[in-house]
Amino acid sequence: MSGKIVKVSGPLVVATGLSDANMADVVRVGNQRLIGEILTMTGDSAAIQVYEETSGLGPGAEVETTGYPLSVELGPGLIETIYDGIQRPLEKIMELSGATITRGVEVPPLDRTKKWAFQPVMTPGTKVSAGDVIGTVQETAVVLHKVMIPPRMSGVIESVSPAGEYTIEQTVAVLKTDKGETVELDMIQRWPVRIGRPYKHKYTPKTPLQSGQRVIDTLFPVAKGGTAAVPGPFGSGKTVVQHQLAKWSDVDIVVYIGCGERGNEMTDVLREFPELVDPRTGESLMKRTVLIANTSDMPVAAREASIYTGITIAEYFRDMGYDVAVIADSTSRWAEALREMSGRLEEMPGEEGYPAYLSSRLAQFYERAGVVECMTSEGERRGSLTAIGAVSPPGGDLSEPVSQATMRIVKVFWALDAGLAYRRHFPSINWLRSYSLYLDALKPWFDENLGPDFLQQRERAMAILQEEAGLNEIVQLVGKDSLSPADQLTLETAKIIREDFLQQNAFSDIDSFTSHDRQRRLLGLILGYDKLCRSAIEKGASVMDLFEIPARDRLGRAKGVDVSEYLAAYDSIYADMTKQIEELAAKGGLDV
Ligand SMILES: Nc1ncnc2c1ncn2[C@@H]1O[C@H](COP(=O)(O)OP(=O)(O)O)[C@@H](O)[C@H]1O
Ligand SMILES: [Mg+2]
């Protein structure tokens, strides 16, 4: 039975005669069988958001429900693929229809013809439940795909196919369920995007995600399994920060969602990522990346779905026991899509026209992050999902609804600053307005793996930066000369921290990524300079002389030293500066 369209309003279509349909069903609309999703049902009348361009559609056209909620296909072939917001493989579609996507075109998300080398690991006769691994497929050089018993299934394995080449639709195992049914399992799972995939338990995140970005890892770290937001006005560097996170984070899988931003930013990703080598695996970064692209030139409704599509794919890899990061640029464009649909539905608008459920929808995205004990009967398996979203408030004003709602949910806030970006201080993460609520939870990890001085140095650096802000106010009133030598040193050290530690050039080979160890040593060097100078000042050394020692110059260039040489170079800088500062202290004029 099919319904009939009574009204079309942009991406929103109202149809009647759909008594057999349910809310959240996927429907096919019109002759072109455009893909849509039912948002609300009143009697047999449905409000449908259509994921494709609706021009030409009019009253009377047929609507048919598929009876299924909006779902993704999960299995080998996800990695390295570029999808749109409803998981259509963009390259395949463009091959079929050219650059402007033909509407209603149907291409399955996962390749049906490609053969994968399946390696069985399960033995027949095993009692199994959801999440247990049937076998594996080397999906890319760095991702071992685990073919698992789908959620909510359990029983006894009757047979497992032998090692060999299989398409994802071929049977890899036969399961006798607890109800006595025989089910042939292939390599495809389906899961509704708006519902989180099940897990056994959620833990407090305790391990840092290492991003190689100094201001993030040292000052405002995010935990694996944590949540973070990157708010900032246009041009402040949100996309570059997110690209850096996608490139360098020490996770197994990255799902990158380009959501409502300019198309050329996705092109940048597509051009750059294959050429970039993951420093940890030596392989191309695409070998661990799934891309979802719903750029500003694509239909607005699919943008709303894209973040759920992305996070569901991420959960699937989390369920295999991997560390996964989902990066969404930008959640503001997503919220605008939500607002547009809400407006067309004539719902009661909340603040600035956003629907009242904006906050809860955002929370539904971020709360799918976490460190989890995965579903499986095979013993302990942990996976993590880290969620990071850009927020682009108009004019950079963080009091607007999307920023406010996000701030209430996420635990790390990297506030980008137009002023810093204007002065070419990148990443323009404002050290006074940003925060990480993971410091306490991560302390044991830092202490054990990097030594207690890592966090102590962080505290010291933050204190110096905060003092700088206070001193700057005094300087504006009475000038720099009125400051004590110790305060002048504080300003100098703060400047070194800002320019030679926090500033990091994403486009320089050496500077783009800094390991934890190197971050610790570099900051140690800067704070070492501060400490030595402070004691020299007490002995009467001149501040001006201290600021002009030759080692000060080398310190400024320390972040650019080649990776293979930094250990030796930092030791030598430290030795030089100790010598030079002690000489100044010795002739300082005061008795020691
Ligand atoms: N870490 C960085 N290193 C060097 N340049 C940067 C960095 N971050 C941002 N930029 C500069 O700022 C520009 C705008 O950044 P972008 O991420 O596109 O801003 P947004 O996404 O906030 O609009 C970039 O094209 C680049 O020139
Ligand atoms: Mg951007």
Side-chain angles (χ1 to χ4, degrees):
M1 193 178 90
S2 62
K4 289 250 180 311
I5 293 183
V6 292
K7 180 183 154 193
V8 177
S9 155
L12 181 79
V13 162
V14 181
T16 53
L18 281 165
S19 52
D20 58 340
N22 290 304
M23 200 170 116
D25 277 4
V26 168
V27 294
R28 291 305 196 131
V29 180
N31 294 336
Q32 287 169 308
R33 299 182 56 73
L34 306 182
I35 303 164
E37 181 187 5
I38 299 183
L39 294 178
T40 57
M41 292 276 324
T42 347
D44 72 345
S45 159
I48 298 158
Q49 78 174 338
V50 179
Y51 291 123
E52 301 176 84
E53 189 46 57
T54 53
S55 53
L57 214 57
E62 287 196 354
V63 177
E64 216 173 87
T65 177
T66 61
Y68 294 105
L70 187 66
S71 301
V72 283
E73 263 188 21
L74 303 163
L78 289 166
I79 308 284
E80 287 186 275
T81 308
I82 312 155
Y83 292 110
D84 75 354
I86 52 171
Q87 211 203 3
R88 293 184 300 176
L90 282 173
E91 283 174 318
K92 283 264 160 61
I93 290 183
M94 284 178 189
E95 270 169 36
L96 281 180
S97 64
T100 45
I101 298 171
T102 314
R103 293 183 290 168
V105 59
E106 259 177 281
V107 182
L110 297 172
D111 192 328
R112 294 297 193 267
T113 54
K114 183 166 174 146
K115 293 207 164 183
W116 299 92
F118 172 77
Q119 192 64 43
V121 296
M122 200 172 257
T123 31
T126 317
K127 204 169 158 8
V128 297
S129 66
D132 292 355
V133 177
I134 303 166
T136 59
V137 157
Q138 194 69 50
E139 182 169 357
T140 69
V142 296
V143 178
L144 185 70
H145 196 113
K146 297 174 186 167
V147 181
M148 299 174 290
I149 304 282
R152 292 170 191 160
M153 269 198 188
S154 60
V156 174
I157 281 293
E158 292 204 320
S159 68
V160 180
S161 304
E165 301 272 316
Y166 297 85
T167 69
I168 53 169
E169 286 180 309
Q170 284 177 307
T171 301
V172 289
V174 178
L175 175 76
K176 187 112 185 186
T177 68
D178 295 336
K179 286 186 207 132
E181 289 167 87
T182 304
V183 183
E184 291 189 359
L185 298 172
D186 58 19
M187 291 196 256
I188 310 175
Q189 289 193 17
R190 283 185 190 76
W191 191 262
V193 298
R194 299 193 190 275
I195 298 170
R197 283 172 62 88
Y199 53 84
K200 277 192 201 157
H201 183 74
K202 224 172 220 184
Y203 296 99
T204 311
K206 290 195 170 117
T207 317
L209 177 133
Q210 299 178 49
S211 68
Q213 310 306 300
R214 295 185 290 266
V215 58
I216 291 179
D217 293 351
T218 298
L219 293 194
F220 309 109
V222 62
K224 279 186 184 140
T227 50
V230 197
F234 179 76
S236 60
K238 297 178 296 294
T239 300
V240 174
V241 166
Q242 293 207 310
H243 283 191
Q244 289 297 88
L245 287 164
K247 285 175 195 166
W248 305 126
S249 294
D250 65 334
V251 291
D252 302 302
I253 313 279
V254 171
V255 180
Y256 192 94
I257 310 166
C259 179
E261 292 292 313
R262 296 183 305 267
N264 63 339
E265 292 181 344
M266 262 348 249
T267 325
D268 284 351
V269 174
L270 297 179
R271 210 185 38 232
E272 265 183 51
F273 277 39
E275 285 168 19
L276 283 168
V277 172
D278 182 343
R280 294 175 194 86
T281 62
E283 291 286 339
S284 149
L285 280 163
M286 277 310 283
K287 303 276 176 211
R288 63 164 202 183
T289 308
V290 183
L291 293 173
I292 315 253
N294 226 246
T295 48
S296 50
D297 49 353
M298 291 162 80
V300 65
R303 187 192 303 171
E304 194 276 319
S306 66
I307 68 169
Y308 302 102
T309 296
I311 207 154
T312 309
I313 292 173
E315 283 175 335
Y316 174 65
F317 285 104
R318 171 206 69 187
D319 291 346
M320 295 178 201
Y322 290 127
D323 291 319
V324 188
V326 168
I327 296 172
D329 189 9
S330 136
T331 57
S332 296
R333 303 282 102 81
W334 165 85
E336 283 161 18
L338 199 68
R339 173 167 69 185
E340 177 170 345
M341 291 314 296
S342 172
R344 290 184 192 274
L345 283 166
E346 290 166 21
E347 291 171 340
M348 173 110 76
E351 233 185 309
E352 290 187 26
Y354 288 104
Y357 47 80
L358 168 70
S359 267
S360 66
R361 289 286 174 86
L362 258 180
Q364 278 166 21
F365 169 71
Y366 283 110
E367 75 195 5
R368 288 168 75 170
V371 177
V372 306
E373 176 75 45
C374 305
M375 299 296 293
T376 173
S377 64
E378 297 169 337
E380 187 169 316
R381 184 195 301 157
R382 281 194 191 190
S384 75
L385 199 173
T386 310
I388 299 164
V391 186
S392 17
D397 170 16
L398 297 181
S399 68
E400 57 86 43
V402 184
S403 304
Q404 285 296 311
T406 305
M407 235 187 270
R408 284 193 293 270
I409 301 164
V410 302
K411 294 221 155 62
V412 178
F413 206 64
W414 296 308
L416 300 194
D417 187 315
L420 289 175
Y422 181 76
R423 298 203 297 274
R424 311 285 309 156
H425 175 116
F426 289 119
S428 72
I429 296 178
N430 182 307
W431 50 90
L432 299 175
R433 293 209 331 255
S434 302
Y435 58 81
S436 164
L437 300 181
Y438 290 114
L439 288 164
D440 288 339
L442 295 177
K443 186 173 187 304
W445 192 96
F446 284 134
D447 287 352
E448 192 177 318
N449 292 275
L450 300 166
D453 57 332
F454 184 79
L455 283 180
Q456 284 158 10
Q457 286 185 176
R458 176 199 183 270
E459 300 264 292
R460 180 76 188 117
M462 284 302 288
I464 291 171
L465 291 167
Q466 271 150 12
E467 255 181 80
E468 180 196 36
L471 289 172
N472 276 340
E473 287 178 20
I474 298 175
V475 169
Q476 282 191 346
L477 291 174
V478 293
K480 209 168 188 166
D481 297 336
S482 61
L483 293 182
S484 69
D487 286 344
Q488 291 181 39
L489 174 63
T490 301
L491 288 185
E492 180 70 4
T493 308
K495 181 166 177 254
I496 303 176
I497 295 173
R498 285 188 283 104
E499 294 180 358
D500 304 326
F501 186 78
L502 297 183
Q503 285 188 21
Q504 187 169 358
N505 187 348
F507 307 109
S508 135
D509 283 346
I510 293 171
D511 207 24
S512 191
F513 169 87
T514 309
S515 69
H516 261 156
D517 178 65
R518 185 169 178 169
Q519 294 186 29
R520 180 175 66 89
R521 287 170 196 270
L522 181 56
L523 190 55
L525 215 50
I526 296 168
L527 296 175
Y529 171 81
D530 182 78
K531 198 170 174 189
L532 290 164
C533 286
R534 238 165 253 285
S535 89
I537 287 170
E538 276 173 23
K539 291 171 190 162
S542 129
V543 207
M544 279 311 135
D545 289 348
L546 288 167
F547 294 172
E548 275 160 20
I549 57 167
R552 164 72 185 81
D553 231 33
R554 289 186 71 197
L555 182 57
R557 282 181 276 114
K559 66 179 174 187
V561 172
D562 192 78
V563 184
S564 61
E565 286 159 15
Y566 82 91
L567 285 174
Y570 288 9
D571 282 348
S572 125
I573 294 172
Y574 194 82
D576 272 11
M577 100 190 163
T578 310
K579 193 162 149 278
Q580 291 161 10
I581 294 170
E582 276 171 0
E583 275 168 21
L584 288 173
K587 63 167 190 186
L590 295 182
D591 287 330
V592 202

